[in-house]
Amino acid sequence: MAELAAVIASTHHPFYYRASTAQGEDRPAFADEWVRKITAFRETLTRANPDVLVMVGSDHFHQLWLDNMPQFLIGKAPFYDANWYNEEREFGLPRMLLKGQEDLSGYLLREGLDAGFDLAFSNELRIDHSITCPIITLRPEADLPIVPVYTNIFAPPLPQPKRFVQLGRTIRELIESWPSDQRVAVIGTGHLSLELGGPRQFGEHGPDPEFDRRAVEWIASGDLEGCLSEVTLDSLHAPGNATHGFMDFMLMMGVAGEGAKADYVDTLDLFHTMEAYFTWYPKGAPAA
């Protein structure tokens, strides 16, 4: 059977690529520290030596719109075009072409349906920065096949937080039952407190530092019970108008497992958001 080699969760700041490649007067003062932290974080995936990446993210109204908004969707294509024109224009993100792992996509779709998740799928999925940003930070060679998993965190009615956790648990069960000798890493990205287009967007830190502190503690300690007891669809409005992306972190906690303490934790407080990076090794940390 396949082996779950690593579970990795992070934020996905679209300006990292531009900040990290800028030179001279265009290079932000925080870029060097950010690059240092990302370089260390990247090593956690390299050490896991995966063969395939299951990538959990959320479409930012690029391909999916209110005329057809699935709650959970699996990409099932041989290749994925990546990044959209506005992401190239605003964030400087490059065009990318990523190879798909169709066998695993098909397995997760079929077995996920049988496990109680009415998953949507797409054979023509163009992906955006929620998936390409962690590839840029964690595997810039972009040489591993992927299985994209999109969740709805933007367009109400949203699934309940517990449903994200349940999907995370199911994804792990299905990966570990996949009849293959492949090593699989699951990488998911979301948000801590986040404000988009609102009065708290460009503060000195994230819009709700106290929520960020508790969120990092929940994730790092694997405290799913405590997290689920406090986080609701209504409560997520208070830390910032885009904080429902935290549910993708909850999905990743479901993959990691109840009480699973992260093997790697790091954060970076930028000018308007807290960046956070977590890695779990289900079979124990590989040798350095």
Side-chain angles (χ1 to χ4, degrees):
M1 296 300 174
E3 180 177 340
L4 182 60
V7 180
I8 298 180
S10 77
T11 44
H12 58 257
H13 203 306
F15 282 109
Y16 173 77
Y17 181 79
R18 175 171 283 169
S20 65
T21 57
Q23 302 294 322
E25 294 181 354
D26 294 331
R27 191 171 179 84
F30 52 79
D32 289 348
E33 181 183 10
W34 203 359
V35 169
R36 179 181 61 80
K37 285 179 175 283
I38 288 297
T39 301
F41 183 44
R42 181 180 302 154
E43 182 61 23
T44 67
L45 177 64
T46 302
R47 290 176 62 190
N49 192 30
D51 300 302
V52 57
L53 307 177
V54 173
M55 305 294 302
V56 177
S58 300
D59 178 74
H60 294 70
F61 293 122
H62 284 117
Q63 178 155 338
L64 305 176
W65 184 237
L66 302 181
D67 58 347
N68 189 0
M69 179 60 67
Q71 302 294 4
F72 302 113
L73 177 146
I74 292 178
K76 194 167 76 68
F79 293 96
Y80 301 94
D81 288 313
N83 292 322
W84 295 74
Y85 171 70
N86 70 309
E87 297 172 309
E88 299 172 43
R89 181 191 65 216
E90 301 298 327
F91 310 137
L93 293 177
R95 289 278 182 97
M96 302 173 73
L97 181 65
L98 304 170
K99 183 179 179 180
Q101 219 302 350
E102 293 181 276
D103 289 344
L104 181 54
S105 289
Y107 186 82
L108 292 179
L109 180 62
R110 176 68 267 167
E111 299 301 319
L113 289 167
D114 293 345
F117 278 90
D118 295 328
L119 300 164
F121 71 92
S122 174
N123 290 333
E124 294 187 15
L125 185 65
R126 184 171 176 178
I127 56 180
D128 73 4
H129 71 269
S130 69
I131 287 176
T132 59
C133 282
I135 289 176
I136 288 168
T137 55
L138 289 163
R139 191 74 176 196
E141 305 92 334
D143 59 344
L144 296 176
I146 69 167
V147 174
V149 179
Y150 265 155
T151 69
N152 176 22
I153 60 169
F154 291 118
L158 305 180
Q160 293 288 342
K162 66 180 180 182
R163 195 61 171 157
F164 281 76
V165 174
Q166 290 166 352
L167 180 58
R169 290 170 174 158
T170 298
I171 287 173
R172 176 169 183 165
E173 291 170 1
L174 298 184
I175 288 172
E176 292 180 331
S177 68
W178 181 37
S180 168
D181 61 357
Q182 300 281 287
R183 293 173 57 83
V184 181
V186 183
I187 301 173
T189 65
H191 310 132
L192 301 183
S193 69
L194 184 65
E195 182 98 348
L196 296 178
R200 294 183 291 169
Q201 179 168 358
F202 293 112
E204 296 180 359
H205 45 64
D208 193 334
E210 175 58 21
F211 176 84
D212 293 344
R213 182 194 65 78
R214 289 160 59 214
V216 170
E217 185 176 294
W218 286 326
I219 300 166
S221 65
D223 186 9
L224 266 172
E225 183 178 355
C227 185
L228 283 168
S229 71
E230 295 193 40
V231 174
T232 67
L233 292 176
D234 288 338
S235 75
L236 286 172
H237 289 289
N241 62 15
T243 308
H244 287 82
F246 180 67
M247 292 191 292
D248 278 342
F249 272 114
M250 298 178 72
L251 187 155
M252 298 308 297
M253 292 171 70
V255 179
E258 173 72 49
K261 293 179 171 56
D263 295 289
Y264 181 92
V265 180
D266 199 7
T267 61
L268 176 63
D269 199 0
L270 288 179
F271 56 92
H272 71 285
T273 180
M274 172 72 80
E275 296 299 287
Y277 313 110
F278 307 88
T279 299
W280 296 260
Y281 295 117
K283 302 295 186 181

